[in-house]
């Protein structure tokens, strides 16, 4: 037991799945120190901001929320305010944070998450703030006590960092080079999670397909996926993110071999124009992307694909944009995350000619969102009358219904007499509303 029993923590997370899981590791560290979770921010003795810097609005969001704590810190001078995550890892950002928010007590980076306990203890022993951001990635630290909050889903990192340097992206600068976890550790972690009753395991990496290419292991991603899917027990397996330059037939063959692997691939295309893809340094063409989709569907005709798309990248003409629209229509994505290009300091794209005006960006994102939504709605309507297997994840208080997703990630709501969170249930869909499905348990 630690020395601060009954003290409470509150973690504010921004950004992606990677960050959500990292917050589970932060919670594990804080609980090991004796902290308990607070229900509200105002109850907390320590508040940790796990920031994201992938787009400007994520950063602004964090800036706003940290700034709002000035008053609380005045009322509660012993309150510890900790800032970590991608933003602190950005060049020059800690200085800005320090200046803007002198009441921050501790700052750490994504590359020294494991030091958090030491840093908090050091801060408790001194008046001065503690700032320690590791500049270069070190050896992988295995976390055994993440405090998971997403039951029945569990996230498992397989590769950290990214080597791709897509010209718009800040991730390689803030998360360092690719480091693959040892396959034995991954398999052990998944076995433990399945034994604990987790029903959906998602293997995480910025580019899962390049697992092992750092030379840290001989194992390829396809081999790892095969090994994890061979673990006994009732669970679903997902993986993300796949990079179109590396996604391959070996992976699809493994998917076909194991019904446990969801027939859903998250394959960010970013743009449908070869000119833009090349400027983005994505290292594949529109044609290659479409070939991959064809290959996937030749093995698994039922497979669905989700994607990420950026509009308004420097130099994007109306013609380029229309090629993205055409690709969206051709692939018929199950869903797509759409973003307006956000210049990130230090990336190649930030200094490129041809930055697009906000008006044009807005117009394109609105048109794209409309198209994507129309496609998703159409797909939803096709669900009506069908029976689908849903893994129940939660109870929606507002709707008074249980909810969960099918293997394609589609959200379904349904009533149930007992608490069925963590159970696989068959639901007959009676109604589709936008992206959500509604139905009744049928088997
Ligand atoms: N601007 C807009 N979107 C971005 N993404 C990454 N960097 C940027 C940026 N600078 C998007 C990409 C990526 C997703 C996680 O975020 O689409 O796949
Ligand atoms: Fe960023 Fe590209 Fe790496 Fe994805 S693959 S994290 S978009 S650099």
């Amino acid at each position: 037991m630690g020395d601060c029993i009954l003290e409470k923590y509150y973690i504010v997370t921004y950004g992606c799945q990677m960050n959500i899981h990292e917050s589970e590791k932060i919670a594990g560290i804080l609980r090991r120190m004796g902290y308990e979770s607070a229900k509200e921010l105002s109850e907390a003795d320590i508040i940790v901001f796990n920031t994201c810097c992938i787009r400007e609005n994520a950063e602004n969001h964090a800036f706003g929320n940290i700034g709002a704590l000035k008053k609380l810190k005045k009322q509660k001078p012993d309150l510890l305010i900790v800032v970590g995550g991608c933003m602190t890892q950005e060049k020059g950002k800690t200085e800005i944070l320090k200046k803007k928010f002198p009441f921050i007590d501790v700052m750490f980076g994504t590359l020294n998450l494991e030091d958090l306990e030491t840093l908090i203890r050091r801060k408790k022993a001194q008046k001065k703030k503690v700032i320690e951001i590791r500049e270069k990635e070190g050896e992988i630290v295995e976390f055994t006590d993440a405090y998971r909050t997403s039951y029945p889903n569990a996230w498992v990192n397989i590769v950290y960092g990214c080597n791709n340097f897509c010209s718009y992206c800040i991730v390689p600068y803030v998360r360092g080079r690719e480091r693959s976890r040892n396959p034995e550790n991954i398999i052990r972690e998944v076995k433990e999670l399945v034994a604990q009753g987790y029903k959906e395991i998602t293997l995480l990496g910025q580019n899962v397909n390049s697992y092992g290419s750092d030379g840290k292991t001989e194992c390829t991603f396809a081999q790892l996926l095969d090994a994890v899917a061979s673990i006994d027990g009732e669970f679903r397996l997902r993986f993300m993110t796949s990079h179109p330059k590396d996604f391959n037939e070996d992976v699809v063959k493994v998917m076909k071999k194991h019904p446990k692997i969801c027939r859903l691939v998250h394959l960010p295309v970013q743009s449908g124009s070869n000119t833009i893809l090349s400027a983005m340094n994505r290292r594949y063409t529109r044609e290659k992307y479409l070939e991959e989709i064809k290959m996937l569907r030749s093995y698994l005709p039922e497979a669905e694909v989700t994607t990420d798309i950026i509009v308004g990248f420097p130099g994007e003409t109306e013609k380029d944009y229309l090629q993205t629209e055409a690709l969206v229509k051709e692939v018929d994505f199950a869903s797509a995350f759409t973003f307006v290009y956000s210049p990130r300091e230090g990336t190649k794209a930030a200094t490129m000619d041809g930055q697009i005006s906000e008006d044009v960006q807005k117009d394109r994102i609105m048109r794209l969102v409309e198209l994507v939504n129309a496609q998703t709605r159409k797909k939803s309507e096709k669900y009506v009358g069908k029976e689908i297997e849903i893994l129940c994840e939660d109870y929606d208080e507002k709707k008074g219904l249980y909810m969960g997703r099918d293997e394609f990630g589609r959200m379904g709501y349904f009533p149930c007499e007992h608490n069925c969170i963590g159970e696989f249930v068959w639901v007959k869909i009676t109604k589709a509303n936008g992206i959500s499905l509604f139905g009744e348990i049928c088997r």
Side-chain angles (χ1 to χ4, degrees), residues 236-253:
R236 267 182 191 166
L237 184 58
R238 299 186 191 274
F239 54 89
M240 63 177 203
T241 294
S242 297
H243 194 307
K245 85 177 165 59
D246 298 317
F247 184 69
N248 61 38
E249 204 162 344
D250 290 349
V251 174
V252 178
K253 283 182 183 160

Side-chain angles (χ1 to χ4, degrees), residues 162 164-166 168-169 171-172 206 243 282:
C162 183
N164 291 314
F165 292 94
C166 300
Y168 51 82
C169 186
V171 168
Q206 306 292 349
H243 194 307
R282 290 290 288 176

